[in-house]
Every structure is written in structure tokens, then in C-alpha cells.
Amino acid sequence: MSNSHLFLKSGFPRAPLQNGLGRYVCQLQRITLKFCKNNGSSRGMRDFIENHLVDFAKENPGIVVYVKPRRHRTPVLVGEYLNGDREWLNCRNSTQDEIFKWIDLLKTQNGSSSSLRLRKMWHTDVPSIQGPWTPFLLRSPDAHNQTYPSSEISRPLDVPQSATEKLIELFKQQKLEADEAGADVLETKRAE
């Protein structure tokens, strides 16, 4: 088994802060196409530059495109992102369609994600000491002894009292007051 994953930069999956919430900002800042004018392995890169590069630059005005001819070197794509990451791709013997797909991939990424070893598949800014939230976390212990279906529990909590319920409550309150007053009258009569 290989231990090469230990030397990768580790981190959590992350995205630029609220990117796409209001307006999407492409994270690719600049792209450099390095190629040889004569070498056969650069043919796809040269074809892409001749046929598709101007259209790509017009469609993506926020991405700066550099073309750098180099003698007797393999073709390379270098993408630089807003967070400072650099992605380097070797395009030796690639066709112009493959190069277009690689450029599209660089355009839609937000950094060199392939060189990041994920610690966990999720991340939170405020970790909980108690563990993950469950629906039963803040319920009272009395809820475990309930028999279901229960009309008391299934009633909504924030519904205001209706006029009929208020009248019934007032009637019961008056009845209790009348009963207490009647009981006081009986006690005074017995005492006499």
C-alpha cells in the first residue's frame, strides 16, 4: 500500500464564501497555454489556439489568457486561481477537443482540488461538543412514555386561542367563582 497520501496537503471540502448566492464569480483568474511551434506533440494545442482561443476569450472576459510559445517542450496548461492555487496540466499529444475539455474543467474548479487529502467529507465552522443533532435531542423525557396518536402532542403550539375557547374558559372561571362563593355562604350558615 502506498503512503503517498500522507504527503498531500490535507483539508476540508470548501468553496469560496457564498459564491453563487448573489452572483457567481469564476475562480479561474488566468490561464497560460505553453506550446512548441514545431513539435508534433503540440499539434492539438496549436489547433485549439488557431480555432477556439478567440471564442473562449470572448466568452470569458474575466479570465486572462496568456499564450507562451516555447521551443522543444511539451504543451502545458497552467491555471491560476483567485485563492492563489496553481493547477498544472500536461497536454502532450492531446487533441483540441481534449484541451477544450481540460480548460473547461479548470474554469469550473475553484482551485487544485485533486491535490487535497480530505480529512472528512463535511465541515462546520461551529463544531458541536454534544455530537450531531437528532430530532430527539431537545425533547422532554415525558415524550417517551406517550401513547400515540396523542391529540395533546399533535396540536400546534403557536395557534392563538379562538373566541369560543375563550368564552368556555370564562364560563368555567365564573362557575368556579360562583361555587366558591356558594361554599362560603354555606359555611357561614353552618357556623351560625
Side-chain angles (χ1 to χ4, degrees):
M1 185 170 152
S2 172
N3 288 331
S4 64
H5 66 280
L6 296 175
F7 301 106
L8 290 175
K9 187 171 64 173
S10 67
F12 296 100
R14 58 188 161 82
L17 182 64
Q18 298 179 349
N19 192 12
L21 204 62
R23 180 176 84 98
Y24 174 74
V25 177
C26 182
Q27 295 298 300
L28 184 63
Q29 187 175 12
R30 70 178 63 92
I31 189 164
T32 307
L33 291 86
K34 301 177 182 180
F35 68 101
C36 178
K37 292 183 180 179
N38 304 326
N39 199 349
S41 64
S42 296
R43 170 178 255 167
M45 183 73 79
R46 289 192 305 266
D47 290 343
F48 176 79
I49 291 169
E50 291 172 5
N51 299 326
H52 300 292
L53 185 63
V54 174
D55 296 334
F56 176 79
K58 285 181 182 176
E59 290 172 4
N60 303 292
I63 301 173
V64 180
V65 180
Y66 294 112
V67 177
K68 188 175 181 181
R70 306 180 309 164
R71 299 178 95 196
H72 310 299
R73 303 270 180 92
T74 58
V76 172
L77 282 174
V78 180
E80 298 177 33
Y81 293 93
L82 291 174
N83 62 0
D85 288 348
R86 287 176 59 123
E87 185 87 21
W88 184 90
L89 290 169
N90 186 355
C91 297
R92 186 170 188 263
N93 295 329
S94 297
T95 64
Q96 61 178 343
D97 295 331
E98 290 171 347
I99 291 172
F100 186 75
K101 288 178 185 177
W102 281 119
I103 290 176
D104 192 45
L105 176 73
L106 290 175
K107 185 178 76 169
T108 54
Q109 289 187 143
N110 63 350
S112 56
S113 58
S114 60
S115 64
L116 185 70
R117 180 174 57 92
L118 296 178
R119 293 187 205 162
K120 295 178 185 169
M121 297 304 287
W122 54 271
H123 176 66
T124 178
D125 292 332
V126 186
S128 172
I129 300 170
Q130 301 168 344
W133 179 87
T134 64
F136 308 105
L137 186 65
L138 301 174
R139 293 183 73 182
S140 67
D142 299 337
H144 298 296
N145 299 330
Q146 289 285 339
T147 55
Y148 295 100
S150 173
S151 61
E152 181 182 325
I153 295 174
S154 57
R155 192 174 338 120
L157 300 174
D158 58 347
V159 175
Q161 200 174 23
S162 68
T164 306
E165 292 171 345
K166 284 182 183 178
L167 286 174
I168 291 172
E169 187 177 325
L170 286 173
F171 175 74
K172 287 179 181 177
Q173 196 174 20
Q174 286 176 355
K175 190 175 180 183
L176 285 173
E177 290 173 0
D179 289 344
E180 288 174 3
D184 291 340
V185 169
L186 283 175
E187 286 181 18
T188 53
K189 284 185 181 179
R190 285 184 190 161
E192 292 174 359

